[in-house]
Amino acid sequence: EGGGRDAEARKLLIQAFHACPVNATVLEQVGEGMRMLLEPNTALSFFAHGARQGVWHHPLQRILGGFSGTLRSSIVLGPDAWEELPELHEMYWVIKSHWAELRAEFLRVRRRFESGYVQIQQCPTGRRCWAHYPPRWREGSWGHYYVAPTQPLHAFGEWYWNGDASWCNWAGYPKLCGLLMHLRSRGFEITQVAVTEVREPRTVIPAHHSQQWRLRLVCPLVVPKNATSMLRFPGFGYKLFVEQECFWFNESYEHEQLYQGPSFRSALILDLKHPGLDGRAPRGTWADAWWNRTASRERAAFG
């Protein structure tokens, strides 16, 4: 269960790589195959090869499609990025300054019909479940309390909010919807908002990534004592969830969620269309410095 060593499968994957060394789809499948063969470092080396060849911007990103090659971002977007992308700073403080009210609002509605809750994953305690897309093993249970839009077409599909006030969950989250409409009036293209919740005793949301244009603000609302909630970027680092410590990260970089604790962990997530897509020229300071540090670590690890 969960993959294992297989010399013949490994040989076939290597052959596929040599046949198509700069094909994005082949590189992705070869890397995922290596993960299933319990060789995560080998998988990352293939993804790093793709970045060196210009297939992706970074080993944790995948197919770029028509995305602008000049628009690079760090994985976790700290204050050093806010000078170039001031929208992140403003939106961060609007949400952060109302954290206590938003937390109280969520806890009031959490057990009510108006909460907008949809369970997305459920595995029996102590067991793993296989999902066909993305093809990964997962553990535990998690779901979304949908805010904007009030609910997607179906729980496993793409969900998108166009800013229409009637599609915000005012019945459950009037304070949050008011803040969202304020930010929309300021020109912030917020595309989806929810509270995501992982359940005890252990939940693993496997590695995944989304469209290249999506930046995500995360504000942990409930993190139990003696719990560990970690957003991990395989091979490159992790970010721990701490109540009231909001942070931005780039959703287009592959990431996974690991949680272990005595009760539920809940976090507000707000997705924003990357402000840099308006055509502004990147200043090449914080992004290039981060990229150079990452590239040097990659060379040291993989040669």
Side-chain angles (χ1 to χ4, degrees), residues 82-207:
W82 293 350
E83 182 180 354
E84 186 168 325
L85 302 172
E87 295 89 344
L88 304 188
H89 188 209
E90 181 177 344
M91 185 167 158
Y92 172 93
W93 282 112
V94 166
I95 299 301
K96 169 84 169 179
S97 63
H98 292 90
W99 179 87
E101 296 166 87
L102 297 176
R103 182 181 190 273
E105 180 173 77
F106 167 68
L107 292 176
R108 280 195 301 270
V109 76
R110 180 176 176 270
R111 292 294 189 183
R112 291 164 43 190
F113 174 78
E114 296 84 2
S115 69
Y117 183 72
V118 174
Q119 185 164 282
I120 297 175
Q121 170 183 309
Q122 183 173 20
C123 292
T125 301
R127 296 185 58 187
R128 288 190 292 177
C129 304
W130 175 259
H132 293 290
Y133 187 82
R136 309 279 195 279
W137 290 98
R138 54 200 68 207
E139 298 179 47
S141 301
W142 71 280
H144 280 335
Y145 296 86
Y146 288 99
V147 179
T150 51
Q151 200 152 120
L153 294 177
H154 53 90
F156 303 97
E158 201 57 49
W159 46 299
Y160 181 87
W161 184 48
N162 63 5
D164 186 337
S166 66
W167 281 96
C168 196
N169 188 350
W170 292 90
Y173 307 91
K175 178 66 178 182
L176 179 53
C177 284
L179 293 175
L180 296 178
M181 296 314 300
H182 164 73
L183 288 167
R184 269 278 180 169
S185 72
R186 296 273 299 136
F188 292 81
E189 197 167 341
I190 300 168
T191 61
Q192 50 201 35
V193 180
V195 176
T196 182
E197 185 170 279
V198 293
R199 302 306 303 268
E200 72 280 1
R202 174 179 167 84
T203 291
V204 176
I205 303 175

Side-chain angles (χ1 to χ4, degrees), residues 71 73 85 212-215 250 272-278:
L71 191 60
S73 294
L85 302 172
Q212 303 292 321
W213 51 261
R214 184 185 298 174
L215 303 182
N250 191 325
L272 176 70
K273 185 175 180 180
H274 199 308
L277 289 172
D278 62 3

Side-chain angles (χ1 to χ4, degrees), residues 21-100:
V22 293
N23 182 285
T25 302
V26 171
L27 283 174
E28 179 167 17
Q29 294 305 314
V30 169
E32 294 307 329
M34 287 298 177
R35 281 180 171 161
M36 290 300 296
L37 296 178
L38 306 182
E39 296 189 34
N41 290 334
T42 304
L44 190 55
S45 71
F46 283 111
F47 298 148
H49 165 83
R52 288 195 297 269
Q53 299 302 314
V55 180
W56 309 301
H57 292 157
H58 184 277
L60 297 189
Q61 286 186 313
R62 296 296 179 268
I63 300 170
L64 291 172
F67 189 71
S68 171
T70 63
L71 191 60
R72 274 204 307 251
S73 294
S74 173
I75 297 176
V76 176
L77 300 157
D80 55 346
W82 293 350
E83 182 180 354
E84 186 168 325
L85 302 172
E87 295 89 344
L88 304 188
H89 188 209
E90 181 177 344
M91 185 167 158
Y92 172 93
W93 282 112
V94 166
I95 299 301
K96 169 84 169 179
S97 63
H98 292 90
W99 179 87

Side-chain angles (χ1 to χ4, degrees), residues 231-252:
L231 186 66
R232 189 165 70 176
F233 304 92
F236 283 85
Y238 63 90
K239 177 70 176 176
L240 292 175
F241 282 60
V242 178
E243 277 192 12
Q244 205 170 349
E245 290 189 8
C246 305
F247 62 92
W248 283 99
F249 81 97
N250 191 325
E251 254 274 327
S252 72

